[in-house]
Amino acid sequence: MSISIPSVDLNDGTKIPTIGMGCWMGTLGGGERVYEMCKKALKAGYRHFDTAAGYHNEAEVGRAIRDSGIPRNEIYITTKLPQSMHGNVQESLEKSLRDLDCEYVDLYLMHWPQATKIGPDGETFTFRPDEHPTIVDTWKDMEKLLASGKVKTIGVSNFSIKTLEQLLHQCTVIPATNQDLKKYCDEKKIPLTAYSPLGQGPFLLNDSTIKAIAEELHVTAAQVLISWAAQRGTIVIPKSENEERMAANIQLVKLSDAQVGQVNDIHLQPGMHKSLLGYHQPDGTVFGWSYEELGWNMVKGSVVPT
């Protein structure tokens, strides 16, 4: 199936399809479910797949792409450096390439700013922000990958203004995209990738504003959310295993300025301005770093309204 999917220009001169298939299955792995999902997505017209070494399903994503018979240069593959490999960037990339069974990835992201290591008994230790490898150390190693041709573009994920500032003051290559925050990234010409654009669960899909717009446009609530995100210049990676929803999600519609404004304001409603990540700990940490260290304006998992 041939579908015209708009692209976003990245700051290194490359382009990325606006809509991709997110390959995080909610739990590690996914096996044949991932393979079948990607096969269906390719048939529906998807050409951008977002996976990660930490998802434990790169092999299934790669197999689906290979079995599709679609030329590699027509597919955009994003994968990510795991936290435990911040000190071994080249080694981690090579493993991802083997698992994906491809010669290069289009976009390689630092999945999280926190570096970790596994202890002798299997326990996980988190490096402090100023301990080697810092985000700057890791980024400089990622910059070296570009010369190899095995990575076309590099970027970051889950970075805040604080951690991006730390990086930008010392990097040679500006991150091409960040899977987090908007206004700051726009100012720095760093396109944003929307993780979980449908809200992880029914609360956004069942929102009265979204449902009303969907009825006006004769589309699904998911199409409203995806089209709104794409219309504001965001790269969107929804995930679905249902063929009908896959096909609908890739069909963008035009929202009016008024409708865009209505969606923009949903986060102002009580209880709607919050984090969707499930990694928050009761002590106000995520993967061993405090909200302050991460640069997140949060209190025990809830975003503080600004």
Side-chain angles (χ1 to χ4, degrees):
M1 178 180 293
S2 178
I3 291 179
S4 179
I5 301 171
S7 296
V8 170
D9 293 323
L10 299 179
N11 56 27
D12 63 353
T14 62
K15 295 179 180 291
I16 182 172
T18 300
I19 305 176
M21 176 59 67
C23 297
W24 169 242
M25 305 301 285
T27 58
L28 296 179
E32 288 301 306
R33 283 177 56 208
V34 179
Y35 174 74
E36 291 297 329
M37 179 183 76
C38 291
K39 274 183 57 179
K40 294 174 185 176
L42 287 157
K43 184 178 179 181
Y46 287 78
R47 295 295 182 267
H48 173 191
F49 293 86
D50 184 288
T51 185
Y55 296 170
H56 294 198
N57 61 27
E58 289 173 311
E60 287 75 20
V61 174
R63 181 160 59 95
I65 291 172
R66 184 175 63 253
D67 290 352
S68 73
I70 297 170
R72 171 67 183 88
N73 62 6
E74 294 182 15
I75 308 289
Y76 195 100
I77 300 177
T78 298
T79 194
K80 308 177 189 75
L81 174 75
Q83 295 170 268
S84 60
M85 296 297 285
H86 277 214
N88 299 280
V89 173
Q90 179 70 46
E91 179 185 343
S92 185
L93 172 65
E94 295 293 347
K95 183 179 186 306
S96 287
L97 292 176
R98 289 194 300 272
D99 289 343
L100 287 162
D101 192 19
C102 62
E103 296 180 353
Y104 69 93
V105 293
D106 297 274
L107 176 60
Y108 197 50
L109 303 178
M110 191 188 314
H111 202 162
W112 286 87
Q114 306 97 315
T116 65
K117 65 178 179 180
I118 307 300
D121 297 321
E123 67 275 37
T124 299
F125 296 95
T126 301
F127 292 87
R128 305 319 312 158
D130 59 351
E131 291 181 317
H132 176 77
T134 66
I135 55 174
V136 174
D137 296 329
T138 301
W139 184 256
K140 288 184 179 298
D141 284 341
M142 290 179 65
E143 290 181 336
K144 296 174 185 176
L145 300 176
L146 294 170
S148 70
K150 295 180 179 181
V151 170
K152 302 297 184 184
T153 300
I154 56 176
V156 297
S157 176
N158 297 299
F159 270 54
S160 65
I161 293 175
K162 178 177 181 176
T163 47
L164 270 173
E165 284 282 0
Q166 292 168 355
L167 201 62
L168 292 175
H169 286 314
Q170 300 186 61
C171 72
T172 301
V173 178
I174 296 174
T177 186
N178 178 33
Q179 289 192 357
D180 204 351
L181 52 124
K182 183 77 170 75
K183 182 180 178 182
Y184 177 85
C185 288
D186 286 347
E187 292 172 352
K188 298 295 182 181
K189 301 188 185 305
I190 302 172
L192 190 72
T193 299
Y195 168 77
S196 293
L198 304 183
Q200 287 188 351
F203 76 97
L204 272 180
L205 295 174
N206 289 337
D207 180 83
S208 59
T209 298
I210 300 298
K211 291 174 72 174
I213 295 173
E215 289 178 7
E216 291 172 15
L217 298 175
H218 305 291
V219 297
T220 67
Q223 283 177 277
V224 171
L225 290 165
I226 293 168
S227 298
W228 165 79
Q231 199 165 314
R232 67 204 291 255
T234 305
I235 303 153
V236 196
I237 48 170
K239 174 257 174 186
S240 176
E241 297 177 69
N242 179 280
E243 290 183 79
E244 288 187 10
R245 288 196 290 270
M246 277 186 194
N249 289 350
I250 208 169
Q251 300 286 348
L252 296 177
V253 295
K254 175 71 174 179
L255 275 64
S256 68
D257 290 345
Q259 290 167 334
V260 169
Q262 287 177 298
V263 181
N264 286 344
D265 290 344
I266 287 176
H267 77 100
L268 300 175
Q269 299 173 12
M272 295 298 282
H273 197 67
K274 59 186 178 181
S275 171
L276 297 178
L277 292 174
Y279 308 119
H280 300 276
Q281 298 302 310
D283 62 354
T285 63
V286 175
F287 293 133
W289 283 16
S290 68
Y291 295 149
E292 182 180 359
E293 288 171 325
L294 284 161
W296 293 2
N297 186 24
M298 305 182 70
V299 177
K300 293 185 179 180
S302 296
V303 176
V304 178
T306 56

